Amino acid sequence: MKKLNIATIGYGFMGRTHSNAFAQVGHFFDVPYQPVLKTICARNAGRAKAFAAQWGYQSAESDWRRVVESKDIDLVDIASPNDTHAEIAIAAAKAGKMVMCEKPLGRNAAEAQAMVDAVESAGVANMVWYNYRRVPAVMLAKQIIDEGRLGKIFHYRAKFLQDWTISTDLPQGGEGLWRLDVAVAGSGVTGDLLAHCIDTAMWLNGGIAEVSAITETFIKSRKHNLTGKVEPVGIDDASLFLARFENGSLATFEATRYARGHKALYTLEINGENASIFWDLHDLHRLQYFDHRDEGRTRGWRSVHITDGDHPYMSHWWVTGLQIGYEHTFIHQAADFLTAAAEGKSAAPTFRDALATDQVTDAVLKSASTRQWTSVKSSKGGAA
Amino acid sequence: MKKLNIATIGYGFMGRTHSNAFAQVGHFFDVPYQPVLKTICARNAGRAKAFAAQWGYQSAESDWRRVVESKDIDLVDIASPNDTHAEIAIAAAKAGKMVMCEKPLGRNAAEAQAMVDAVESAGVANMVWYNYRRVPAVMLAKQIIDEGRLGKIFHYRAKFLQDWTISTDLPQGGEGLWRLDVAVAGSGVTGDLLAHCIDTAMWLNGGIAEVSAITETFIKSRKHNLTGKVEPVGIDDASLFLARFENGSLATFEATRYARGHKALYTLEINGENASIFWDLHDLHRLQYFDHRDEGRTRGWRSVHITDGDHPYMSHWWVTGLQIGYEHTFIHQAADFLTAAAEGKSAAPTFRDALATDQVTDAVLKSASTRQWTSVKSSKGGAA
Amino acid sequence: MKKLNIATIGYGFMGRTHSNAFAQVGHFFDVPYQPVLKTICARNAGRAKAFAAQWGYQSAESDWRRVVESKDIDLVDIASPNDTHAEIAIAAAKAGKMVMCEKPLGRNAAEAQAMVDAVESAGVANMVWYNYRRVPAVMLAKQIIDEGRLGKIFHYRAKFLQDWTISTDLPQGGEGLWRLDVAVAGSGVTGDLLAHCIDTAMWLNGGIAEVSAITETFIKSRKHNLTGKVEPVGIDDASLFLARFENGSLATFEATRYARGHKALYTLEINGENASIFWDLHDLHRLQYFDHRDEGRTRGWRSVHITDGDHPYMSHWWVTGLQIGYEHTFIHQAADFLTAAAEGKSAAPTFRDALATDQVTDAVLKSASTRQWTSVKSSKGGAA
Amino acid sequence: MKKLNIATIGYGFMGRTHSNAFAQVGHFFDVPYQPVLKTICARNAGRAKAFAAQWGYQSAESDWRRVVESKDIDLVDIASPNDTHAEIAIAAAKAGKMVMCEKPLGRNAAEAQAMVDAVESAGVANMVWYNYRRVPAVMLAKQIIDEGRLGKIFHYRAKFLQDWTISTDLPQGGEGLWRLDVAVAGSGVTGDLLAHCIDTAMWLNGGIAEVSAITETFIKSRKHNLTGKVEPVGIDDASLFLARFENGSLATFEATRYARGHKALYTLEINGENASIFWDLHDLHRLQYFDHRDEGRTRGWRSVHITDGDHPYMSHWWVTGLQIGYEHTFIHQAADFLTAAAEGKSAAPTFRDALATDQVTDAVLKSASTRQWTSVKSSKGGAA
């Protein structure tokens, strides 16, 4: 089988999920490439080397430019902080590499647009790791919706609730905490959490026409790990918005890191004329489905345990009744990318699809600062 | 409308649920009788009088014999402790009164048999307050089963878990605690809690052929409220049994007052070839229903919120989505009794039906003491 | 005991819940008045008479003016459609009667203000039937919040989802359907459902400072039952808004009758620094409580079954583990009103409290039409 | 790091879970050995070769004897059908190999005893793959119990419900279906499913003293895949038993493949004087915990989402809120075995521990056939 040499940039949380995806995909999926963990690249050379040993990368690098230029590399996978995405992705595309990038694509739509231009000019296969599309339950929701079972859509609601930044003692910036540093992250929960909600929402329910948003930074200053000083916090701690989709349905979206009791509660619900769907990340192996066409007396929300062979991706795993977990979503995405790439194609969500999400998050932040309903600049990528 | 003069014997927990049923039934159901709260009867004359005032009984009595003989009374409703059931019921039947009796019918099958003989000889309308049959969700389960939707039945399981007697400081005997006094109650959880499980089970799934049981008294002696002395505890604190139904299905039954965390968790489940049903008392307004004939990908347990007009009894209450509670089961039972009685009939479960339950509890207790599988002496009443 | 002669105006859904509350309150609560169902008043004399018979009202009337002027009446309870509230309440207050009114108080804040002025000028005891405050689980939430256990509040979210108007065949107007007729109802889900959410929210979390809203009428015209013609629909089918509370917390609110699968799903959640609370009407006897101060390893959302004697109101009902239902909230409210009225006081929510809710719903509707963030005109009544 | 050469016998469902465990353990745990997938062994040489390619085994073999004798192999891991366990394990032990064996250890206690004797005589590290002990939620339950938080134990209940053999068209025997062939499997659900329940139960709650059981074979004959003929079914389709533990607590156990609607629903509950625990495999990442010492008003079952760093094993995985799945239990077990083996020790459950489970399943089957309460022959291994 043809080998695909992969360089992963970044060994943090996402460096691990991506590495695991490449390590595992061939054990469970018949993919047209054999992924080879060629190079891990990260600024800290010592830790990169240790990561290489643990995951079986053949080499460790500390300068991503050398990686991007290396003729040994077929695919550059970007798992480093948000402020590095654009520069690396554009250079990798120019070097003719396939490019995968962790979400959000850019810190804003302008960065994302430049990245789209680069991969489309270069004609290289690309994909953004909005992994929650590949939760089997969410993929099943997509199938059900695409089959038209819901009928006309009236409502969509999504939220992503966490509680890990409530303590005032938590510093900002530096390894593990760059998500609190606006210069690195671009925004707070809007780009980190709402971006997931928006990507899934547009995939399931089409483009978002306009938004009215409010954001808040509950803790105004925190010690910065890089400077050692207490500095203003630039990110949004919470971000909520109302939306009207292009299909006329109404929506609420909310993300926060101040919802005590919720660790990573991403929930979505869609209500149609005939049927409704609910899903939440805390029980990701279940889909709640209500079909009004069921007989009246015995009609109810069905709790579907997504572990059967006829559920998306599940025939590749264990036996009926046995659940998979979080990291499997990345394995599924790697499988889909490798399959597409072997035919010279990108896999969804492509850079262009992900640009559409950045356009919505830009509109959300603009609406929050102007206190006005704000139209979303559409790149027509959202519904791909 | 014709009036029905009622005498209620006992003002305890069950005296209240029955009184409430008679007070409320006419507000929600078109019943052929107007129930009149004629007399409350209890040993403590002062408290009986106060109870009469609170509930609108026209008189209070302290001697049940006078009540039973009174020509003003049409219906004697027995809500007093178990050791009084047989004597009162037999006397009332002989006096030609309609008789309703709180469960269990007798302290054992022999007592129950005498009571059956009395009402059947006298030809008076009768009923036993196994109220859980009238939970709308349970009644819907009955309908679904009777329609044959489950196919061949393989399994039944029921449990009734409480935790209110774990403390060693709790005394036995006397008002409010007679359920711990074997002389009054007849048995412990077997007659108090398992009897409910058995009544529902035989109604839903037919007769029980044989049982293998184990019982335990975890706290061996308690202060007796009537004697003031520490005395041996004669009741069973926990009672578990395996059973084979006449239809070949297998079952587990369990009742205990030592299941920390459960207040009154009566659950039942029945598994058939094609469909299964689960219900629990802690969320009595829901029925869980699984139908294997649903499409595979979207098949799951349906959580049916039993608050629609096409659910049993629910058209009499509020609007869709609004739940009823515990005491409504007694109101439903009163409505069904009044309807039947107006035609000279008894309502299920009749004394004969309830005798069948006592025959099973007798077999359970016998099996526990002999450590042998024990056949149930059948009175053919269970499946009525 | 002193008698309180009650006239109930309206025999619809709310006429039944109120009548039941007065019929039952004395059976379960020691109240200082004996409520007497004196007169039922409704336009249709025949049906009023039948209703009187069923509920035990001593008389039936078809002209509310005669009722209000009658010296036999102590308390006028308004359970008729929204467009009648103001006129009746003002007349009753002027006649010196105690006044209870079904929610929303007025069709808008102007009507409500006039009603407040009337009862306050007359100095009569008053109350509005925002019954969900008296769900024991919600009352417990209030206690927990008032004890300061949640710490600083970051988030509030509430929704009220139904699905009963999705069919285009459903007409508007006339008995049972006046809630779809804007002239009678004043608004759609904003006044009907959101009003409940807002009343509870301000009671639990203080005043709402400003809102940004969107509303939609999905079905633009329906046959009108009174004219027989297809006419434009004037009500809002769905109403969503973002809010900032006076305490700085952020909120989403949503109500709709187009959420397939939800019958009357009113949910509320509040997230504080230290603890969070969630409740939903479909399982009204449970409260979800998360306390971050619990030990880390075993910390989780607690599903509290609100059926213990130390839970609000529950010592008046049955025994531990046995749930109550929807109508009990009205009984609790009647008990609290009678207790207050005997001391010459009003019970919360008073007319003034309910005016505050109308001020928020006015702001919501204004925001939706102007597409602007809108400040709430405060009457300082919300947090009472 | 020292390498450990592994030979896996069997490429079925369990061959995959074990191979995955060895492939993944080093990515997430710091283990003292580097596991090397040396040889896969299975009767079908072609499929063994394909399996080797997919999982990275260095060689494929079709004769397990050659594997056991090979000096290249350090560890023999048995994942083949039950009838092969004893012969391979005994030979491997005699050859001085470490031995891991899929559960149940033997088809009966006699086989298991011989296997225990072999590994103990040889002094080789050993372990049986009762993987559910390593579910983080179950491991947390163990910690809580061992800390004495539950107090005196009153009740234990476990069930393992499936529904995959209800169809009469399902054949017995041959690849994928040997679990229906009594000659290969030894028994039906007793050894397959109840064995899991019993292993966990004795680990959590100590030894089982005596049992009363009932079994049933609902479908009496099925086509046999190896002979092509319809043959009697020798396995038990359902197996239920009552038990008394050595600590005096009472239990119900049940396993079946005829519980429509349940795929692999393994549930366990333990009730103590002070606290209770519930867990189920269909939501394996949650633990239900009730602590009576919590304040009364806010006391309830806590749904603990077992995804925090202070939960067993979870610091090795992702971030708070993100769940793992079924196969991770094997990875945990591999990590624990490698750690123990590096010190020359076995990991629990050892062969001796697993013998105790076979002694209980033997007693269950004997009780079912004799219809008598049956004492468990104790090897003192259960509580290890």
Side-chain angles (χ1 to χ4, degrees):
Chain A
M1 191 169 30
K2 203 173 156 190
K3 294 186 175 187
L4 188 81
N5 288 334
I6 299 170
T8 302
I9 318 294
Y11 52 42
F13 174 23
M14 284 303 127
R16 293 175 77 223
T17 60
H18 298 192
S19 298
N20 185 67
F22 296 127
Q24 285 284 71
V25 64
H27 295 149
F28 296 95
F29 290 83
D30 289 323
V31 281
Y33 281 116
Q34 181 185 342
V36 177
L37 295 175
K38 199 74 185 177
T39 304
I40 181 73
C41 173
R43 276 171 273 201
N44 182 320
R47 292 191 50 186
K49 207 166 167 183
F51 191 90
Q54 185 162 26
W55 283 94
Y57 280 92
Q58 297 176 8
S59 64
E61 252 299 348
S62 58
D63 180 353
W64 64 263
R65 288 172 204 281
R66 269 209 299 279
V67 171
V68 163
E69 288 158 10
S70 166
K71 59 184 179 185
D72 285 351
I73 297 299
D74 301 313
L75 164 63
V76 173
D77 175 34
I78 304 168
S80 43
N82 299 354
D83 61 338
T84 67
H85 289 188
E87 194 176 14
I88 300 174
I90 292 168
K94 283 187 180 159
K97 311 300 188 194
M98 298 176 187
V99 193
M100 297 170 91
C101 187
E102 184 51 37
K103 51 64 54 183
L105 184 55
R107 281 173 296 181
N108 50 56
E111 278 193 355
Q113 183 68 61
M115 296 166 80
V116 169
D117 293 344
V119 294
E120 294 191 350
S121 299
V124 295
N126 59 85
M127 196 199 68
V128 180
W129 292 92
Y130 278 109
N131 63 302
Y132 293 121
R133 291 193 186 191
R134 261 73 175 199
V135 174
V138 176
M139 185 60 81
L140 178 58
K142 171 68 171 166
Q143 293 175 358
I144 291 170
I145 294 167
D146 285 356
E147 290 164 10
R149 295 198 195 186
L150 271 57
K152 178 173 167 52
I153 304 301
F154 297 120
H155 291 288
Y156 194 94
R157 55 191 77 85
K159 55 183 190 290
F160 205 135
L161 307 182
Q162 300 185 330
D163 69 356
W164 63 281
T165 66
I166 291 179
S167 168
T168 54
D169 296 338
L170 190 74
Q172 62 175 312
E175 199 148 347
L177 290 170
W178 60 262
R179 281 175 181 81
L180 299 189
D181 182 345
V182 72
V184 177
S187 69
V189 296
T190 303
D192 186 26
L193 306 181
L194 272 184
H196 273 302
C197 300
I198 294 164
D199 173 73
T200 321
M202 292 201 293
W203 182 55
L204 295 177
N205 197 35
I208 291 174
E210 55 174 358
V211 301
S212 173
I214 185 170
T215 60
E216 183 56 277
T217 303
F218 289 113
I219 295 180
K220 310 294 188 193
S221 59
R222 293 181 181 276
K223 186 183 153 195
H224 201 297
N225 268 340
L226 300 182
T227 65
K229 296 182 192 159
V230 172
E231 297 191 5
V233 173
I235 60 158
D236 44 297
D237 287 339
S239 180
L240 298 72
F241 71 94
L242 302 176
R244 189 187 294 274
F245 280 79
E246 290 169 6
N247 66 10
S249 55
L250 305 186
T252 58
F253 285 82
E254 177 181 5
T256 181
R257 295 177 183 140
Y258 286 71
R260 185 56 84 194
H262 300 301
K263 300 172 179 179
L265 186 75
Y266 171 17
T267 74
L268 66 86
E269 177 165 352
I270 180 165
N271 302 135
E273 190 181 356
N274 301 317
S276 290
I277 287 171
F278 175 86
W279 172 81
D280 85 275
L281 177 58
H282 275 198
D283 297 290
L284 66 82
H285 60 296
R286 290 186 179 273
L287 188 72
Q288 306 289 330
Y289 177 64
F290 180 92
D291 197 320
H292 189 66
R293 290 157 300 200
D294 285 343
E295 177 214 30
R297 280 185 313 159
T298 58
R299 196 161 49 204
W301 282 84
R302 303 180 188 179
S303 183
V304 189
H305 201 257
I306 306 294
T307 56
D308 284 335
D310 58 358
H311 291 139
Y313 300 109
M314 291 308 296
S315 64
H316 296 269
W317 295 101
W318 312 107
V319 303
T320 291
L322 301 178
Q323 73 191 66
I324 58 170
Y326 166 74
E327 77 259 29
H328 302 71
T329 59
F330 293 88
I331 302 171
H332 300 162
Q333 195 153 5
D336 289 346
F337 178 81
L338 295 176
T339 301
E343 298 178 2
K345 296 180 187 164
S346 297
T350 62
F351 275 33
R352 179 161 287 277
D353 296 331
L355 165 60
T357 292
D358 278 3
Q359 288 166 334
V360 177
T361 52
D362 272 15
V364 166
L365 294 170
K366 184 179 168 194
S367 171
S369 71
T370 62
R371 294 170 54 89
Q372 296 296 325
W373 277 90
T374 303
S375 295
V376 177
K377 185 194 158 191
S378 172
S379 63
K380 304 291 177 197
Chain B
M1 193 166 30
K2 204 173 154 190
K3 296 188 176 188
L4 187 81
N5 288 336
I6 301 171
T8 302
I9 319 293
Y11 52 42
F13 175 22
M14 285 303 126
R16 293 174 77 225
T17 60
H18 298 193
S19 299
N20 185 67
F22 296 126
Q24 285 284 74
V25 64
H27 295 149
F28 297 95
F29 290 83
D30 288 324
V31 281
Y33 280 117
Q34 181 185 340
V36 176
L37 295 176
K38 199 75 185 174
T39 304
I40 180 74
C41 173
R43 277 171 272 202
N44 183 320
R47 291 191 51 189
K49 205 166 170 185
F51 191 90
Q54 185 161 28
W55 284 94
Y57 280 91
Q58 298 176 8
S59 64
E61 253 299 349
S62 58
D63 180 354
W64 65 262
R65 288 172 206 280
R66 268 209 299 277
V67 171
V68 163
E69 289 157 11
S70 166
K71 58 185 180 186
D72 285 349
I73 297 299
D74 301 312
L75 164 64
V76 173
D77 174 35
I78 306 168
S80 44
N82 300 352
D83 60 340
T84 66
H85 290 189
E87 194 176 14
I88 301 173
I90 292 167
K94 283 187 180 157
K97 312 299 188 195
M98 299 178 189
V99 193
M100 297 170 90
C101 187
E102 184 51 36
K103 48 66 56 182
L105 185 56
R107 281 173 297 181
N108 50 55
E111 279 193 355
Q113 183 68 61
M115 297 166 80
V116 170
D117 293 346
V119 294
E120 295 190 352
S121 300
V124 296
N126 60 86
M127 197 200 65
V128 180
W129 292 93
Y130 279 109
N131 64 302
Y132 293 122
R133 292 193 185 192
R134 261 72 176 198
V135 175
V138 176
M139 186 60 81
L140 178 59
K142 173 67 170 167
Q143 292 176 357
I144 292 170
I145 294 167
D146 285 355
E147 290 164 10
R149 295 197 195 188
L150 271 56
K152 180 175 166 50
I153 305 300
F154 297 121
H155 291 288
Y156 194 94
R157 57 190 77 82
K159 54 183 192 290
F160 206 134
L161 307 183
Q162 299 185 333
D163 69 356
W164 63 283
T165 66
I166 291 180
S167 168
T168 54
D169 296 338
L170 191 73
Q172 60 175 313
E175 198 148 349
L177 290 170
W178 60 262
R179 284 176 180 80
L180 299 189
D181 182 345
V182 72
V184 178
S187 68
V189 297
T190 302
D192 185 27
L193 306 180
L194 273 184
H196 273 302
C197 300
I198 293 164
D199 173 71
T200 323
M202 293 199 294
W203 182 54
L204 295 177
N205 196 36
I208 292 174
E210 55 173 358
V211 301
S212 173
I214 185 171
T215 59
E216 182 58 279
T217 302
F218 289 114
I219 295 180
K220 309 294 186 192
S221 58
R222 294 181 181 275
K223 185 182 153 196
H224 201 297
N225 268 339
L226 300 183
T227 65
K229 295 183 194 159
V230 174
E231 297 191 4
V233 173
I235 59 157
D236 43 297
D237 288 338
S239 180
L240 299 73
F241 71 94
L242 302 176
R244 188 188 296 274
F245 279 81
E246 290 169 6
N247 66 9
S249 56
L250 305 186
T252 59
F253 285 82
E254 178 180 4
T256 181
R257 294 179 186 139
Y258 286 73
R260 184 57 84 195
H262 300 300
K263 300 172 180 179
L265 186 74
Y266 172 17
T267 74
L268 66 86
E269 178 166 353
I270 180 165
N271 303 134
E273 189 181 358
N274 301 319
S276 289
I277 287 170
F278 176 86
W279 172 80
D280 84 274
L281 177 57
H282 275 198
D283 297 290
L284 65 83
H285 60 297
R286 290 185 178 272
L287 187 73
Q288 306 290 330
Y289 177 64
F290 180 92
D291 197 319
H292 190 65
R293 289 156 299 200
D294 285 343
E295 177 214 31
R297 280 185 312 159
T298 57
R299 195 160 52 206
W301 282 83
R302 302 182 190 177
S303 182
V304 189
H305 201 258
I306 306 295
T307 56
D308 284 334
D310 58 358
H311 291 139
Y313 300 109
M314 291 308 296
S315 63
H316 296 269
W317 295 100
W318 312 107
V319 302
T320 291
L322 300 178
Q323 72 192 66
I324 58 170
Y326 166 73
E327 78 260 27
H328 301 71
T329 58
F330 293 88
I331 301 171
H332 301 161
Q333 195 151 5
D336 289 346
F337 179 81
L338 294 176
T339 302
E343 302 179 0
K345 297 181 187 165
S346 296
T350 62
F351 275 32
R352 180 161 287 277
D353 297 332
L355 165 61
T357 292
D358 277 3
Q359 288 166 333
V360 177
T361 52
D362 272 15
V364 165
L365 294 170
K366 183 178 170 195
S367 171
S369 72
T370 61
R371 292 170 55 89
Q372 297 294 327
W373 277 90
T374 303
S375 294
V376 176
K377 184 194 158 190
S378 174
S379 63
K380 303 290 177 199
Chain C
M1 191 166 31
K2 202 172 157 192
K3 295 188 177 188
L4 188 80
N5 289 336
I6 300 171
T8 302
I9 318 293
Y11 52 43
F13 174 21
M14 284 304 125
R16 293 174 77 225
T17 59
H18 298 192
S19 299
N20 185 67
F22 296 126
Q24 285 284 74
V25 64
H27 294 150
F28 298 94
F29 291 82
D30 288 324
V31 281
Y33 280 117
Q34 180 185 342
V36 177
L37 295 176
K38 199 75 183 176
T39 305
I40 180 73
C41 174
R43 277 171 271 202
N44 183 320
R47 292 191 51 188
K49 205 166 170 183
F51 191 90
Q54 184 160 28
W55 284 94
Y57 279 92
Q58 298 176 9
S59 64
E61 253 298 348
S62 58
D63 180 354
W64 64 263
R65 286 174 207 281
R66 269 209 298 277
V67 171
V68 163
E69 288 157 11
S70 166
K71 59 185 181 185
D72 285 348
I73 298 299
D74 301 312
L75 163 64
V76 174
D77 174 35
I78 305 167
S80 44
N82 299 353
D83 60 339
T84 67
H85 290 188
E87 195 176 13
I88 301 173
I90 291 167
K94 283 187 180 159
K97 310 300 187 193
M98 300 179 188
V99 193
M100 297 170 91
C101 186
E102 182 51 37
K103 49 65 56 183
L105 184 55
R107 281 173 296 180
N108 50 56
E111 278 193 354
Q113 183 68 61
M115 297 165 80
V116 170
D117 293 345
V119 294
E120 295 190 351
S121 299
V124 295
N126 59 86
M127 196 199 65
V128 181
W129 292 92
Y130 279 109
N131 63 302
Y132 293 122
R133 291 192 186 192
R134 261 73 176 198
V135 174
V138 176
M139 186 59 82
L140 178 59
K142 172 68 171 166
Q143 292 176 356
I144 292 170
I145 293 167
D146 285 355
E147 291 163 9
R149 295 198 195 186
L150 271 57
K152 180 175 167 51
I153 305 300
F154 297 121
H155 292 289
Y156 194 94
R157 57 190 77 83
K159 55 182 190 293
F160 205 135
L161 308 182
Q162 300 185 332
D163 69 357
W164 63 282
T165 66
I166 291 180
S167 169
T168 54
D169 296 339
L170 190 74
Q172 60 175 313
E175 199 149 347
L177 290 170
W178 60 263
R179 284 177 179 80
L180 299 189
D181 183 344
V182 72
V184 178
S187 68
V189 297
T190 302
D192 186 27
L193 306 180
L194 273 183
H196 274 301
C197 300
I198 293 164
D199 173 73
T200 323
M202 292 200 294
W203 183 53
L204 295 177
N205 196 37
I208 291 174
E210 55 174 358
V211 301
S212 173
I214 185 171
T215 59
E216 182 58 280
T217 303
F218 289 114
I219 295 180
K220 309 294 186 192
S221 59
R222 294 181 181 275
K223 186 182 151 194
H224 200 299
N225 268 339
L226 299 183
T227 65
K229 296 182 193 159
V230 173
E231 297 191 5
V233 173
I235 59 158
D236 44 296
D237 287 338
S239 180
L240 299 72
F241 70 95
L242 302 175
R244 188 187 295 275
F245 279 81
E246 290 169 6
N247 66 8
S249 55
L250 305 186
T252 59
F253 285 82
E254 178 181 4
T256 182
R257 294 178 185 140
Y258 286 72
R260 185 56 84 194
H262 300 301
K263 300 172 180 179
L265 186 74
Y266 172 17
T267 74
L268 65 87
E269 177 166 353
I270 180 166
N271 303 134
E273 189 181 358
N274 301 319
S276 290
I277 287 170
F278 175 86
W279 172 81
D280 85 273
L281 177 57
H282 275 197
D283 297 291
L284 66 83
H285 60 297
R286 290 186 178 272
L287 188 71
Q288 306 290 329
Y289 177 63
F290 180 92
D291 197 320
H292 189 67
R293 288 156 301 200
D294 285 343
E295 176 213 32
R297 279 185 313 159
T298 57
R299 194 159 53 205
W301 282 84
R302 303 181 189 179
S303 182
V304 188
H305 201 258
I306 306 295
T307 57
D308 284 334
D310 58 358
H311 291 139
Y313 300 109
M314 292 307 296
S315 64
H316 296 269
W317 295 100
W318 312 107
V319 302
T320 290
L322 300 178
Q323 72 192 65
I324 58 170
Y326 166 74
E327 78 260 27
H328 301 71
T329 58
F330 293 88
I331 302 171
H332 301 162
Q333 194 152 6
D336 290 346
F337 178 82
L338 294 176
T339 302
E343 301 178 1
K345 297 180 187 165
S346 297
T350 61
F351 274 33
R352 180 161 286 278
D353 296 331
L355 166 61
T357 292
D358 277 3
Q359 288 166 334
V360 177
T361 53
D362 272 14
V364 166
L365 293 170
K366 182 178 170 195
S367 171
S369 72
T370 61
R371 293 169 56 86
Q372 296 294 327
W373 278 90
T374 302
S375 294
V376 176
K377 184 195 157 189
S378 174
S379 63
K380 303 291 176 199
Chain D
M1 190 168 30
K2 203 172 157 191
K3 294 186 175 187
L4 187 81
N5 288 334
I6 300 170
T8 302
I9 319 293
Y11 53 42
F13 174 21
M14 284 302 127
R16 292 175 76 224
T17 59
H18 298 192
S19 298
N20 185 66
F22 296 127
Q24 286 284 71
V25 63
H27 295 149
F28 297 95
F29 290 82
D30 288 324
V31 281
Y33 281 116
Q34 181 185 340
V36 177
L37 295 176
K38 199 74 184 178
T39 304
I40 181 74
C41 173
R43 277 172 272 202
N44 182 320
R47 292 191 51 188
K49 207 165 166 183
F51 191 90
Q54 186 162 26
W55 284 94
Y57 280 91
Q58 296 176 9
S59 64
E61 252 299 349
S62 58
D63 181 355
W64 65 262
R65 288 172 205 281
R66 270 209 299 279
V67 170
V68 164
E69 288 157 11
S70 166
K71 59 183 181 185
D72 285 350
I73 298 300
D74 301 313
L75 164 63
V76 173
D77 174 35
I78 304 168
S80 43
N82 299 353
D83 60 339
T84 67
H85 289 188
E87 194 176 14
I88 300 174
I90 292 168
K94 284 187 178 156
K97 311 301 188 195
M98 299 176 186
V99 193
M100 298 171 91
C101 187
E102 184 50 37
K103 50 64 56 183
L105 184 55
R107 281 174 296 182
N108 50 56
E111 277 193 356
Q113 183 68 60
M115 297 166 79
V116 170
D117 293 345
V119 294
E120 294 191 349
S121 299
V124 295
N126 59 84
M127 196 199 68
V128 180
W129 292 93
Y130 278 109
N131 62 301
Y132 293 121
R133 291 193 186 191
R134 261 73 175 198
V135 174
V138 177
M139 185 61 80
L140 178 59
K142 172 68 170 164
Q143 292 175 358
I144 292 169
I145 294 167
D146 285 356
E147 290 164 9
R149 296 198 195 186
L150 271 56
K152 178 174 167 52
I153 305 300
F154 297 120
H155 291 289
Y156 194 95
R157 55 190 78 83
K159 56 182 189 291
F160 205 135
L161 307 183
Q162 300 185 331
D163 69 355
W164 64 281
T165 66
I166 291 179
S167 169
T168 54
D169 296 338
L170 191 75
Q172 61 175 312
E175 198 148 348
L177 291 170
W178 60 263
R179 282 176 180 80
L180 300 189
D181 182 345
V182 72
V184 177
S187 68
V189 297
T190 303
D192 186 26
L193 305 181
L194 273 183
H196 273 302
C197 301
I198 294 164
D199 173 74
T200 322
M202 292 200 292
W203 182 54
L204 296 177
N205 197 36
I208 292 173
E210 56 174 357
V211 300
S212 173
I214 185 171
T215 60
E216 182 57 278
T217 303
F218 289 113
I219 295 180
K220 309 294 186 192
S221 58
R222 294 180 181 276
K223 186 183 152 194
H224 201 297
N225 268 339
L226 300 182
T227 65
K229 295 182 193 158
V230 172
E231 298 191 3
V233 172
I235 60 159
D236 44 297
D237 287 339
S239 181
L240 298 73
F241 70 95
L242 303 175
R244 189 188 296 274
F245 280 79
E246 291 169 7
N247 66 8
S249 56
L250 304 187
T252 58
F253 285 81
E254 177 181 5
T256 181
R257 294 178 184 140
Y258 286 72
R260 185 55 84 195
H262 300 300
K263 300 172 178 179
L265 186 74
Y266 171 18
T267 74
L268 66 86
E269 177 166 352
I270 181 166
N271 302 134
E273 189 181 358
N274 301 318
S276 290
I277 287 170
F278 175 85
W279 172 81
D280 85 275
L281 177 58
H282 275 198
D283 297 291
L284 66 83
H285 59 296
R286 290 186 178 272
L287 188 72
Q288 307 290 330
Y289 177 65
F290 180 92
D291 197 320
H292 190 66
R293 289 157 298 201
D294 285 343
E295 177 214 30
R297 279 186 312 159
T298 57
R299 195 159 51 203
W301 283 84
R302 303 181 189 179
S303 182
V304 189
H305 201 258
I306 305 294
T307 56
D308 284 334
D310 58 358
H311 290 140
Y313 300 110
M314 292 307 297
S315 64
H316 296 270
W317 295 101
W318 312 107
V319 302
T320 291
L322 301 178
Q323 73 191 66
I324 59 170
Y326 166 74
E327 78 260 29
H328 302 71
T329 58
F330 293 88
I331 301 171
H332 301 161
Q333 195 153 5
D336 289 347
F337 178 81
L338 294 176
T339 301
E343 301 178 1
K345 297 181 186 163
S346 296
T350 62
F351 274 33
R352 180 161 287 277
D353 297 332
L355 166 60
T357 291
D358 277 3
Q359 288 166 334
V360 177
T361 53
D362 272 15
V364 165
L365 294 170
K366 184 179 168 195
S367 171
S369 71
T370 61
R371 294 170 55 88
Q372 296 294 327
W373 278 90
T374 303
S375 294
V376 177
K377 183 193 158 188
S378 173
S379 63
K380 304 290 177 201

